[in-house]
Amino acid sequence: MVKKTQDQEAAAEPAVVNDVFIFPNGDRYEGELKRAEDGCLERCGAGTHMAANGTTYSGDWLNDRMNGYGKLKYPYGSFYEGQFTDNRFHGDGRYTWPDGSSFKGSFLDNMMDGEGEFTDPNGQIWVGKFHHKAAPGLKFKLDVS
């Protein structure tokens, strides 16, 4: 068995560069890229993808997918900030709707899932366990200060 030196391992890893890539559909990516084994460019590390429709993602990339922490903004005013796994909301995050209401808590495969807080457009906070669009037994959080 032949052991590789650290220099040999580093040389085997594709070089990561900061660059700009324009997609055929008009989307634009600015950030870290590397050449994948198949020769194609792949988003990795930190970067910003701006879609032609106005949707923007700024954050971490791995294997050409949103992975790690980031912020996804939609052109109609809503946005998500938090953890991503394979282009999905997954982990802790906050989704905010155009009317200012928001959900802060746990997400699983793009859905609210687990303990969280929903803030309505009037600023009232509701807490409890969420499962997708359902949240039976929510409790009103009363601030008595």
Side-chain angles (χ1 to χ4, degrees):
M1 178 176 195
V2 178
K3 285 192 168 184
K4 291 184 180 180
T5 66
Q6 287 180 336
D7 290 338
Q8 288 172 324
E9 286 180 13
E13 285 291 316
V16 175
V17 297
N18 265 307
D19 211 343
V20 175
F21 183 83
I22 309 293
F23 292 82
N25 68 351
D27 288 8
R28 176 185 177 98
Y29 174 78
E30 295 179 19
E32 296 176 303
L33 297 162
K34 71 177 180 180
R35 195 157 301 277
E37 288 181 16
D38 63 3
C40 294
L41 288 176
E42 185 176 274
R43 295 165 288 192
C44 67
T48 299
H49 184 107
M50 294 154 280
N53 70 1
T55 301
T56 302
Y57 171 78
S58 291
D60 299 328
W61 295 86
L62 179 65
N63 300 325
D64 209 36
R65 294 175 170 266
M66 298 178 287
N67 273 296
Y69 184 83
K71 186 170 186 176
L72 182 64
K73 295 186 211 176
Y74 296 99
Y76 49 86
S78 62
F79 63 92
Y80 171 82
E81 186 168 7
Q83 295 296 317
F84 287 83
T85 299
D86 291 333
N87 291 339
R88 296 178 161 275
F89 311 154
H90 197 88
D92 292 332
R94 177 187 294 268
Y95 189 93
T96 303
W97 286 269
D99 67 1
S101 59
S102 66
F103 170 79
K104 179 182 176 186
S106 184
F107 287 82
L108 178 66
D109 290 329
N110 277 349
M111 305 294 267
M112 299 177 285
D113 193 76
E115 293 295 321
E117 284 187 359
F118 177 79
T119 304
D120 68 24
N122 299 317
Q124 295 177 331
I125 300 172
W126 302 84
V127 295
K129 197 166 197 113
F130 291 75
H131 184 67
H132 303 268
K133 293 181 179 180
L138 279 185
K139 295 181 174 96
F140 181 67
K141 186 176 179 180
L142 187 57
D143 185 9
V144 290
S145 55

